[in-house]
Amino acid sequence: MCSALLGAALLLALYTLLYHALRRPAPPRARPSLRGRTAIVTGGSGGIGAATARELARRGARVVLAARSAARGEAAASRIRTETGNAEVRFMHLDLASLRSVRAFASAFLREEPHLHLLINNAGVSAGGQTEDGYGLTFQVNHLGHFLLTQLLLERLQRSAPSRVVIVASSAHCSGRLDPAALGRPVRGALQTFQAYCDSKLANVLHARELATRLQGTEVTCYAVHPGFVNTEIFRHAPLWLKPLLVPLAWLFFRDAAEGAETPLYCATQEGLERFSGRYFADCRPQEPWPRGRDDGLARALWEGSERLVGLGPRRPPAPAARGQ
Ligand SMILES: NC(=O)c1ccc[n+]([C@@H]2O[C@H](COP(=O)([O-])OP(=O)(O)OC[C@H]3O[C@@H](n4cnc5c(N)ncnc54)[C@H](OP(=O)(O)O)[C@@H]3O)[C@@H](O)[C@H]2O)c1
């Protein structure tokens, strides 16, 4: 009897410890109006992206949900319009696994939308396979597609400045390894899906770092974000044997999508963050990334390799232009 009680108490203590470690609530703060601001949220059809889009819309922003499934994208846009009363929420098709689709999205956006103040590079997968462009699926969706998208929209961000790019990375960058000579090649090995995910998240952290360096002197700033451990569909491609462990863990301890959206929203909207451009944030605070995430040589090599893989020549950030609103 005594040992059963002791066991139960220990379990409760462990649960409380883990719960608070993984679900640290965001500090309370002001939520300024975003009326007159335009935002793109990639992967805005579900998970953290939909929660981010909902809050941006609630604060009055014009929001473009950039997603690959028209059915899920239109449904999410309609839900957000109803829930927030903001009619300026629209779906536009974007499949980050196709560089052609990224270019088509960017052309349509530039044609149809005069402003861009917030680009939230949120969409992500953790899956095996290769894209039509011949690159690892996870690397292309999580990094390369977003890299091209950001480059194609940079001038519009610059014209709409002050503006921000938020790149949803992950603490999983700690296990990332990037070989500049083998960029984009599908990862091989026993834990290839996990490794490819970690590599892509390291690329996210380094992308923000190098982008900030290249944008110095402009009014466009950028941030990499770890949203916390969040109960979404990100693990839908996890191996079957892992799911019985992941599902209860996620249900008991992980944040919900709205909580997961807190740090991306903080980096997108909090005033006075400009001096932190290029930094990595978690729990609404700047944090030091793991050593590879601070490697400026690797960040430069990733940038140059990414330019080559998406077919862009070296380019300088656009010259400061007349400011939009
Ligand atoms: N959940 C976590 O614990 C966690 C932790 C750290 C970082 N993150 C990061 O947070 C971000 C959001 O993930 P989540 O947890 O919200 O996962 P999620 O629920 O699976 O949502 C991912 C979103 O990305 C979209 N997407 C997937 N492939 C795409 C493609 N080829 N083109 C365009 N959109 C695509 C999905 O669209 P469909 O609906 O069409 O599939 C979905 O809207 C990811 O970058 C992830 O790495 C998550």
Side-chain angles (χ1 to χ4, degrees), residues 123-162:
V125 285
S126 176
Q130 213 167 326
T131 66
E132 66 183 34
D133 301 292
Y135 305 128
L137 177 73
T138 298
F139 185 76
Q140 179 160 339
V141 171
N142 297 5
H143 167 67
L144 210 52
H146 281 125
F147 176 86
L148 176 61
L149 181 69
T150 308
Q151 289 305 96
L152 297 176
L153 298 177
L154 212 47
E155 257 176 66
R156 186 57 50 87
L157 283 160
Q158 175 77 25
R159 254 184 35 202
S160 310

Side-chain angles (χ1 to χ4, degrees), residues 160-221:
S160 310
S163 51
R164 294 184 183 183
V165 181
V166 176
I167 301 174
V168 183
S170 168
S171 59
H173 77 272
C174 67
S175 301
R177 293 191 299 246
L178 287 171
D179 173 2
L183 274 189
R185 283 193 210 144
V187 177
R188 305 268 173 242
L191 293 173
Q192 50 182 273
T193 306
F194 173 72
Q195 189 60 54
Y197 182 74
C198 297
D199 295 353
S200 73
K201 293 292 134 182
L202 174 61
N204 290 157
V205 173
L206 294 171
H207 180 200
R209 202 171 173 92
E210 182 67 16
L211 183 59
T213 303
R214 289 173 187 247
L215 288 173
Q216 264 169 20
T218 76
E219 285 187 280
V220 186
T221 54

Side-chain angles (χ1 to χ4, degrees), residues 209-246:
R209 202 171 173 92
E210 182 67 16
L211 183 59
T213 303
R214 289 173 187 247
L215 288 173
Q216 264 169 20
T218 76
E219 285 187 280
V220 186
T221 54
C222 62
Y223 312 87
V225 166
H226 170 57
F229 296 96
V230 189
N231 190 4
T232 64
E233 293 181 40
I234 193 76
F235 304 112
R236 73 186 97 169
H237 302 291
L240 272 181
W241 60 264
L242 199 58
K243 289 201 174 168
L245 188 73
L246 271 179

